[in-house]
Amino acid sequence: MRWFALCLAVIPSALAAAETDMGTPLTGAEFEAYVTGKTLTFSSQGQVYGAEQYLPGRRVMWAFTEDICREGIWYEEPGQICFVYDYDPVPQCWVFWQDDGLNALFMGEDGGTRLTELSQTPAPLACAGPEVGV
């Protein structure tokens, strides 16, 4: 019983500490309002990581830097935004928050990948096709 009470005491403080470091996680509605109709370019550790176009209906188009575009969808899990792409059915979940732009922290096995919004545009994502020039 003491262990249970200790857990109840520790969990809220751990969540508060995470919110202080990262900011308050965006809800699905907040995320949707911020990204829909935009193409965002993200960086990780000062290097361009990739870009994603956010389409109506929670559809997305993602491309790592100098890679082909991948179609997918996003959905909300409590406190997270998860993406599933046509090439990989395994959800990729992130915590998003705003602090001088959009920020994200990957919640997958490698954990720790942190992205920062580098730029945004209403223009569509420039996609290179796998068979361009063939």
Side-chain angles (χ1 to χ4, degrees), residues 10-23:
V10 170
I11 290 171
S13 62
L15 290 174
E19 283 189 6
T20 301
D21 181 46
M22 297 183 342

Side-chain angles (χ1 to χ4, degrees), residues 36-119:
T36 301
K38 299 175 184 174
T39 298
L40 302 181
T41 300
F42 292 97
S43 67
S44 178
Q45 299 179 355
Q47 301 294 317
V48 176
Y49 186 81
E52 190 150 49
Q53 181 180 0
Y54 298 91
L55 303 160
R58 296 186 171 189
R59 294 178 303 115
V60 294
M61 184 80 65
W62 167 261
F64 286 104
T65 302
E66 299 181 19
D67 197 3
I68 63 172
C69 292
R70 312 289 185 157
E71 293 182 32
I73 58 151
W74 70 267
Y75 62 92
E76 180 181 15
E77 285 290 330
Q80 299 179 37
I81 305 297
C82 300
F83 298 83
V84 176
Y85 297 95
D86 292 348
Y87 72 97
D88 183 2
V90 176
Q92 299 175 31
C93 297
W94 300 76
V95 173
F96 283 89
W97 70 98
Q98 287 184 280
D99 179 24
D100 295 327
L102 198 60
N103 294 275
L105 181 64
F106 186 57
M107 297 286 109
E109 287 183 20
D110 73 345
T113 298
R114 185 171 175 167
L115 301 180
T116 303
E117 178 184 341
L118 193 57
S119 65

